[in-house]
Amino acid sequence: METELNRQRSIARHIIDGSITIDSVSEFESMLKIFPNNPALYSAFGDLQVKKEMMDDAAFSYKKAAQLYIESGMMLSAILTKILEWRIEKPTHEEGRRFHASLCNGNFEETPLQEFFTSLSYPEMVAITNRLVRVRLPGNKVVKKIGDVDNSLYFIASGTISDTIYQPLGKKEEVNRKSTIYLSKNDFFGELFPFDEENLSKSYVETVTSVEMGKIS
């Protein structure tokens, strides 16, 4: 029994990271019966329902996922999933304010990213979420290279990326010194300022694992 449950857990993890694709609604529903409190599974189910043009069902799955993410203390994932729901069904101001209150009152890890989002007023939250786009990438995927135009800010909801900066050692040196940092949940990277100048990336950013991020350009 335990071996079968472990197999199902492994399948669920692969569905979430995108390495296994389920194209059957009934099979997905069977997985949700086994793991009824897994927000990432509900979010992935919403993606499948969108693919199959089951938009009302997808909105419900995203709504369920957002609530479970909040209960799990995963603020950014909750925001990204709620945005997907709202782009299917536009919320009333009452619904929007209720979600804003759940963010402000949620039991989340204290991080600069959490502090930023929970300090937003309701109109500010609406302005941010209207520009925020969910980005999902597999492992070993280049996000940006040195010299690319850098005009986006990324917020990491899950997964790990590597950010490598190359610095010249001297005028006659052929080899550059490089320093790599690893960023994960609740970290952020990228450049937006100044708005009136073109920023060029000074680092090489690549996913280490599958990653879910919010992006503002």
Side-chain angles (χ1 to χ4, degrees):
M1 182 65 180
E2 184 65 27
T3 300
E4 176 61 19
L5 182 58
N6 287 337
R7 187 182 74 84
Q8 296 289 358
R9 285 172 177 160
S10 177
I11 292 173
R13 285 196 298 270
H14 288 305
I15 292 171
I16 291 166
D17 68 21
S19 56
I20 288 180
T21 301
I22 291 183
D23 198 48
S24 167
V25 171
S26 61
E27 287 183 23
F28 223 120
E29 288 173 337
S30 297
M31 290 298 298
L32 287 170
K33 288 178 181 177
I34 300 171
F35 305 106
N37 298 313
N38 188 313
L41 268 184
Y42 270 101
S43 181
F45 190 33
D47 294 342
L48 174 61
Q49 290 166 322
V50 168
K51 179 181 175 182
K52 291 185 174 295
E53 299 184 353
M54 302 166 59
M55 305 310 289
D56 290 343
D57 293 325
F60 176 83
S61 295
Y62 290 141
K63 182 176 183 178
K64 178 71 173 178
Q67 182 58 43
L68 289 172
Y69 275 131
I70 289 173
E71 294 172 3
S72 302
M74 300 177 69
M75 180 197 62
L76 185 54
S77 293
I79 292 172
L80 294 177
T81 311
K82 182 60 73 171
I83 290 171
L84 296 175
E85 175 200 342
W86 285 350
R87 286 178 182 163
I88 297 172
E89 295 181 353
K90 187 175 179 179
T92 64
H93 284 297
E94 181 182 353
E95 290 171 332
R97 290 186 181 279
R98 191 159 54 240
F99 180 68
H100 177 252
S102 70
L103 294 181
C104 294
N105 299 324
N107 184 23
F108 303 117
E109 181 182 356
E110 293 186 6
T111 65
L113 191 60
Q114 176 269 341
E115 183 178 352
F116 167 70
F117 277 104
T118 57
S119 69
L120 296 174
S121 66
Y122 174 64
E124 289 169 338
M125 185 200 76
V126 171
I128 290 292
T129 55
N130 280 341
R131 298 188 63 86
L132 198 60
V133 176
R134 183 184 69 164
V135 177
R136 300 183 71 183
L137 297 172
N140 302 312
K141 184 74 172 179
V142 175
V143 180
K144 61 177 180 176
K145 305 184 295 295
I146 294 174
D148 284 351
V149 175
D150 195 359
N151 61 358
S152 299
L153 193 61
Y154 295 86
F155 306 98
I156 302 175
S158 63
T160 303
I161 69 149
S162 63
D163 189 344
T164 302
I165 299 174
Y166 292 84
Q167 299 172 319
L169 291 172
K171 291 183 179 180
K172 296 183 180 180
E173 295 285 349
E174 294 183 357
V175 179
N176 291 346
R177 179 180 63 189
K178 66 178 182 179
S179 59
T180 300
I181 59 173
Y182 292 91
L183 304 174
S184 55
K185 185 176 74 171
N186 293 326
D187 289 325
F188 54 91
F189 64 95
E191 296 289 343
L192 286 178
F193 303 101
F195 290 131
D196 57 350
E197 295 180 13
E198 184 176 76
N199 298 309
L200 298 181
S201 174
K202 299 179 178 63
S203 63
Y204 183 91
V205 180
E206 183 179 22
T207 62
V208 178
T209 65
S210 59
V211 172
E212 181 178 46
M213 301 182 287
K215 176 183 177 182
I216 295 180
S217 295

